[in-house]
Amino acid sequence: MPRILRVAAAQMGPTQKADPRSQTLGRLIALLERAAAEGAQLVVFPELAFTTFFPRWLLDEAALDPYYEEALPGPETQPLFDRARELGVGFYIGYAEKTPEGKRFNSAVTVGPDGTILAKYRKMHLPGSVEPREGARFQQLEKRYFEYGDLGFPAFRGPEGWGEPVLGMLVCNDRRWPEAWRVYALQGMEMMLVGYNSAAYDPNGGETEDQGLRTFHSQLAAQANAYMNACWAVAVAKAGEEDGSGLIGGSCIVDPNGRIVAETRTLADEVVVAECDLDLCLQGKTKMFNFEMHRRPEAYGLISSQKGAIAPPRKAG
C-alpha cells in the first residue's frame, strides 16, 4: 500500500514591523484552514513566521525582546495550535526562541495532528554578521541576535496517519549547505521541511544578485539536494516587500527526482498542495544514492582534514 502524505506549502506575504501579532496569527490560521480545506495533512510555514524579519535592524534589548518566544505554544501562539488540533492537521513553523537560560536561537518545530510537538530544530548556518556594515542600506545581523544551533540534525518519524515518514528540518540558509541534507539522509530522511526569509537582493552588499537569481538559487538548492538525497523537499518563503526590504517567494514542493511538483506564483499569502508518495524515495535510496553501497567516507576524511584552500578566493570586483 503506497504511503501518500498530502503536504501544503503555506507561503506568507510580508509581515510589517507595525503589524500586530494578532493580525499575523490570524493570517497563519487562515492559511492553515485553506490548506486543510484542500486536504493537507501537513502544512509548512516559513522561517520566523510570527514576526517581521527583525535581523535587518540594529536593535537594543528592549526593542529586541518582544520578537522571541519564551515558550511554544505560548499565550499568543496557542490559537494556532488549537485550530490545527481541531482540524487534525500538523505543521512546521519557524520562530525566534529564547530559552529559560536566556539563549536565543532561530528555531523551528514540527507539530503533529494532535497538537503535540514532534521535534525541534535550531538553525545551524547563520548568515550575516555580528556588527552592522557601515554605510549599508540593508543589514543581516543573524549572528548578532542568534546563537548557532546546538541540537544537531536529528531525523524523526511522523505519525502513523502520515505513513510514518522519516522527516528532517532546516531553516533558511541551512538549505544551501549539502552537509546538512546528507547528515539527515544518512538517517533515512524521506522529506525535508524548510522555511525561509530570503532577501531579494544580496544581503551582504554588491549588485551581482537580484530577485530572479536568488529565487533560482533557492529552488536549485531544494531540487538538487532532494535528488542527491532521494527525498521530498518542501521549501516555503515569507515573501514580498517587508518594511522596505524585498523577500523572494518561490515556495515549492520537490519530488525525489528533483522535479518541482507544486510552486507558488505570487509574493503574497498563498497555499499550494501536493500528494507526496513517500515510496518514490526508494528508487534513489536503493540505486543511484544507495549510501551503503556507493559512498566512500574513507576518502571524504581527506577532504575535511584540509586546513585551507590551495589559493584563497579572489575578491569580487
Side-chain angles (χ1 to χ4, degrees), residues 163-193:
E164 298 185 321
V166 182
L167 302 172
M169 290 186 283
L170 297 173
V171 175
C172 198
N173 191 45
D174 289 321
R175 74 194 188 280
R176 306 180 194 278
W177 297 88
E179 297 91 340
W181 294 76
R182 183 52 50 89
V183 172
Y184 277 119
L186 288 168
Q187 300 170 70
M189 180 261 298
E190 297 171 301
M191 179 176 287
M192 185 71 84
L193 312 178

Side-chain angles (χ1 to χ4, degrees), residues 91-111:
F91 62 92
Y92 159 110
I93 196 160
Y95 67 105
E97 176 191 8
K98 185 176 180 181
T99 72
E101 299 76 28
K103 292 186 176 183
R104 291 167 167 157
F105 298 99
N106 190 340
S107 300
V109 294
T110 297
V111 179

Side-chain angles (χ1 to χ4, degrees), residues 257-315:
N257 290 307
R259 296 179 298 196
I260 294 176
V261 299
E263 64 181 311
T264 56
R265 300 295 181 183
T266 72
L267 298 177
D269 289 6
E270 184 179 351
V271 171
V272 294
V273 179
E275 286 195 347
C276 301
D277 184 347
L278 299 167
D279 290 333
L280 286 182
C281 300
L282 291 173
Q283 168 72 17
K285 290 185 185 300
T286 60
K287 295 180 181 178
M288 179 67 74
F289 299 109
N290 182 327
F291 296 152
E292 185 176 0
M293 182 178 295
H294 303 308
R295 286 183 77 243
R296 289 294 173 265
E298 68 276 10
Y300 309 153
L302 298 175
I303 298 170
S304 61
S305 67
Q306 299 298 312
K307 300 301 182 184
I310 294 174
R314 300 174 72 177
K315 292 184 179 180

Side-chain angles (χ1 to χ4, degrees), residues 141-153:
L141 298 173
E142 283 191 62
K143 283 184 168 68
R144 186 182 190 91
Y145 298 140
F146 298 116
E147 298 187 41
Y148 292 102
D150 60 357
L151 299 178
F153 303 99

